[in-house]
Amino acid sequence: MKTIRKKIDYRLFPWVVLGLLLLTFGLLTPWLGFYFDDWPAIANLHLRPISTFWDFEWTDRPLLAWTYIVSGPLLGERPIVWQFFSIFVRWLTVLGVWWSIRALWPGRKREAAWIALLFAVFPAFDQQAISVTYSQHWMIYALFAFSIGAMLQAERDVRRFYLWTFLAISTMAVHIFSMEYFAGLELLRPIFLLIVFSETNAAWGRRIKSTLKRWLPYLAILAVFVLWRIYIFPQNRGEPNNPELLFGLLSQPLSTLFTLAQYAVQDFLNIVVGSWYKTLDPAVFILNDRLVLASLAITVIVGASLYFFLRNLSPQTGTSQEEPGDFIWYRQALPIGFLGILLGVLPVWLTGRQTTLGLYGSRFELASMFGASIFTIGLLEWITPRRLTRIILISLLVALAVGFHIRRVETFHNSWVKQSRFYWQLYWRIPDLKPGASIAADGEMFLYVGRYSTALTLNIIYPEDLPYPQIGHYFYELPARIGHNLQEMVAGQPINWKFRNFIFDGSTHDTVLVFYEPEQGNCLWVLDPSEKDNPDLSALAADGVEISNLGVIQRQPDPKNGPPADIFGPEPEHTWCYFFQKADLARQFGDWQAVADLGDQAQESGFSPNNPQEWIPFIEGYARVGRWQDAIDETLHVHRVNFRVDARLCRLWGRVTNDVQIPAKYQNDYQAMMNRIEC
């Protein structure tokens, strides 16, 4: 007896996609924060009126400001809100792609669903956690997808031709003049129109003529954009993304064409093959890692659930996959997908960059995900004759991508934990900074953040009342070799920095050097020039301690200072690093009783350092308040754990004995200690 299986209606599809996106990108959002270009936008939102976003975007994408002007006041400064908003606009983009593909191939409802599912989680772009920045990209991507769908709908719905055409043209103008990322995909429009007109029995000449006629308004907008972007836009701004290869085609056509061909081969393979290699990279499958195990379990669940869902989707109308002529669809899908991949990354190539280069290179693959999804489904249609086999493979690919994205988010989580701990410790150690002061380190502090973002975050922690667009603080890395420039930096070299609508003017003389390696179990260290012989510093930090001027640190905080709760959450529990930072601050200002009291509180609470050097402020505090036995005992403890610190301990006791006489009853213990540490 034949079993009748109830089919799933396509109206459920958008909610399945939303659930897939929330499962893929939403599980760990409470533990994610801000990164990369998120921070400049959040700094502008935190410190400035919303209207200043026009100035913020003026130098590279002046018309993109509307995205932050609309979203900023609504979303505020909480990372979790931005994370979910970015997922939401990604969902809208997926629905736009789904609608566009259905309008392009009305008889291919299954293929449209497959393409949209793959597009939703395609593993090429792996930086979804950078939510503030890429929410802009998804908003513009959604406009592009809607514009394509509206253009095709205008040909399908003749009665509303002018309404759909108006919507298609207006959304195209908004997306292309706001952001150039998806401009290359605009060259797919005439191909889409030709496919629609090819459904008629008209002669080829008439089809091409109709295509060109319909494409003309879109071509005009594209031409105006190109002229504006190349010739008008750079005036009085400079050109942050100079189309050097475009000019190279005019001056050196052969060598430039060869370069473009090389880019095309490398980036095509990276997007189509490399993206999927990332999902199966054997190096990440560490089976004692709970996140890895969870991602593998979710991969299996998603794969099985998707198989059931796709297996039971209602049959499509129009040509069935089992009917003769099945080859026609994939003969259209494969070249369109191939072109979509190359055209998606074309604007990137013209600026001399590639998807394979740089920490943030995967962002250049965003536009190509549209073509890559079409190409992949077309390839499966070509090589796999049975629909059931295709469903199994599609379910597997989507599930692998979901597992990859879940594992990928751990990198961003670790970066946020490191950032959050750093800024709280910095605030505990430095309650306030004099205006014009900078923080320096021996390199970039956090993965997926960068110098400019760290500098602007400092101004969120320590805001100053300065005339717009001045800011009060800056962050920089020490140069790779300080050499003879060190004394010039100590004496004071001017720092003049401008980024978007932020300007800082200061001097290297007003710099505090910090060292932060929590991976080694250390707290944040605020360095002073006496720490040149600290054996745990990097060579660059040890060379650079002379520039550290603790005189710019103010002990009493301004009420408006500190990590904002909306961004960083409530102040964390006071563990060892809190007591260390407060003690080091008290040591700087000679409040020795406070240092000793903090040491007692830390020990009573059961806290102790991973790095014994962090006992040094407490040793000096105990000694200077007359607790000699405690100071001697802790000195010997530090020596036993890390004898390389002995030189610092000798200098510490030299400072103490220059100011205070050791009581006679402790002289023997003191001398034995000094012999032990070989002072």
Side-chain angles (χ1 to χ4, degrees), residues 62-117:
L63 302 182
L64 190 60
W66 70 268
T67 58
Y68 285 144
I69 290 173
V70 170
S71 61
L74 294 174
L75 303 179
E77 300 173 16
R78 295 180 63 195
I80 191 172
V81 176
W82 281 98
Q83 291 290 340
F84 279 115
F85 176 70
S86 187
I87 294 171
F88 172 71
V89 287
R90 183 170 185 152
W91 177 59
L92 294 181
T93 306
V94 175
L95 296 187
V97 168
W98 180 49
W99 181 52
S100 299
I101 298 301
R102 291 183 67 177
L104 180 62
W105 292 299
R108 296 291 175 174
K109 293 173 68 176
R110 281 197 183 111
E111 283 80 356
W114 296 345
I115 289 167
L117 279 171

Side-chain angles (χ1 to χ4, degrees), residues 50-62:
I50 196 69
S51 60
T52 58
F53 272 109
W54 293 112
D55 297 335
F56 179 84
E57 296 284 7
W58 178 251
T59 55
D60 50 5
R61 298 184 181 107

Side-chain angles (χ1 to χ4, degrees), residues 36-244:
F36 187 38
D37 283 349
D38 291 353
W39 280 118
I42 292 299
N44 200 75
L45 186 63
H46 185 82
L47 300 170
R48 307 289 179 61
I50 196 69
S51 60
T52 58
F53 272 109
W54 293 112
D55 297 335
F56 179 84
E57 296 284 7
W58 178 251
T59 55
D60 50 5
R61 298 184 181 107
L63 302 182
L64 190 60
W66 70 268
T67 58
Y68 285 144
I69 290 173
V70 170
S71 61
L74 294 174
L75 303 179
E77 300 173 16
R78 295 180 63 195
I80 191 172
V81 176
W82 281 98
Q83 291 290 340
F84 279 115
F85 176 70
S86 187
I87 294 171
F88 172 71
V89 287
R90 183 170 185 152
W91 177 59
L92 294 181
T93 306
V94 175
L95 296 187
V97 168
W98 180 49
W99 181 52
S100 299
I101 298 301
R102 291 183 67 177
L104 180 62
W105 292 299
R108 296 291 175 174
K109 293 173 68 176
R110 281 197 183 111
E111 283 80 356
W114 296 345
I115 289 167
L117 279 171
L118 199 59
F119 175 81
V121 294
F122 202 90
F125 173 66
D126 58 8
Q127 298 171 33
Q128 176 69 23
I130 307 177
S131 57
V132 181
T133 300
Y134 292 119
S135 66
Q136 289 186 302
H137 293 68
W138 289 116
M139 292 168 76
I140 302 305
Y141 215 157
L143 288 174
F144 162 77
F146 181 84
S147 178
I148 294 293
M151 179 192 73
L152 295 171
Q153 196 64 27
E155 305 302 328
R156 305 290 185 190
D157 185 3
V158 179
R159 289 182 303 171
R160 298 182 179 85
F161 172 82
Y162 291 106
L163 173 61
W164 287 118
T165 299
F166 169 76
L167 292 173
I169 290 174
S170 58
T171 49
M172 175 195 173
V174 173
H175 96 71
I176 201 170
F177 281 97
S178 295
M179 181 183 287
E180 74 285 351
Y181 262 65
F182 311 102
L185 294 178
E186 285 295 325
L187 296 176
L188 290 174
R189 282 187 191 268
I191 301 174
F192 293 162
L193 289 169
L194 184 60
I195 288 175
V196 173
F197 290 122
S198 294
E199 295 171 5
T200 67
N201 294 321
W204 269 103
R206 187 176 181 84
R207 299 177 195 178
I208 293 173
K209 183 177 179 181
S210 298
T211 297
L212 294 175
K213 180 181 177 181
R214 289 286 198 264
W215 184 42
L216 192 58
Y218 305 99
L219 177 60
I221 294 173
L222 181 61
V224 171
F225 165 75
V226 171
L227 291 174
W228 172 76
R229 192 65 179 78
I230 295 176
Y231 297 107
I232 300 173
F233 170 81
Q235 295 180 14
N236 302 320
R237 286 187 184 89
E239 175 50 89
N241 297 304
N242 187 38
E244 55 189 54

Side-chain angles (χ1 to χ4, degrees), residues 458-635:
L458 286 176
N459 288 275
I460 295 175
I461 309 298
Y462 305 105
E464 302 289 350
D465 294 323
L466 297 172
Y468 177 82
Q470 292 285 333
I471 55 174
H473 306 290
Y474 182 57
F475 170 82
Y476 64 93
E477 305 98 347
L478 297 178
R481 291 183 178 85
I482 296 176
H484 63 276
N485 292 322
L486 175 59
Q487 295 308 316
E488 295 177 10
M489 294 177 71
V490 173
Q493 290 182 321
I495 301 174
N496 305 114
W497 176 67
K498 185 179 188 303
F499 177 74
R500 295 185 182 272
N501 60 332
F502 297 98
I503 295 176
F504 172 81
D505 294 304
S507 168
T508 57
H509 178 265
D510 298 322
T511 294
V512 177
L513 184 65
V514 300
F515 186 73
Y516 186 49
E517 285 194 351
E519 297 85 359
Q520 308 301 320
N522 302 344
C523 299
L524 168 69
W525 294 349
V526 172
L527 305 178
D528 67 54
S530 69
E531 295 186 67
K532 194 173 184 65
D533 58 352
N534 185 329
D536 291 335
L537 295 181
S538 67
L540 190 56
D543 287 342
V545 292
E546 291 183 47
I547 72 168
S548 197
N549 176 13
L550 303 194
V552 300
I553 296 175
Q554 298 175 321
R555 192 176 185 186
Q556 296 302 318
D558 189 302
K560 66 179 181 297
N561 288 357
D566 277 358
I567 298 175
F568 293 96
E571 184 170 0
E573 179 186 358
H574 292 171
T575 55
W576 169 259
C577 286
Y578 170 82
F579 293 104
F580 169 73
Q581 302 300 351
K582 287 300 184 183
D584 201 35
L585 175 65
R587 176 202 58 78
Q588 177 188 337
F589 288 92
D591 188 350
W592 301 112
Q593 188 59 56
V595 175
D597 291 344
L598 285 161
D600 293 342
Q601 292 174 40
Q603 293 187 80
E604 289 168 4
S605 301
F607 300 124
S608 60
N610 288 313
N611 190 311
Q613 288 205 71
E614 292 170 7
W615 273 118
I616 288 178
F618 300 101
I619 293 172
E620 187 166 2
Y622 288 145
R624 289 189 181 273
V625 298
R627 293 171 57 178
W628 299 104
Q629 195 60 55
D630 290 333
I632 291 168
D633 290 345
E634 293 300 342
T635 300

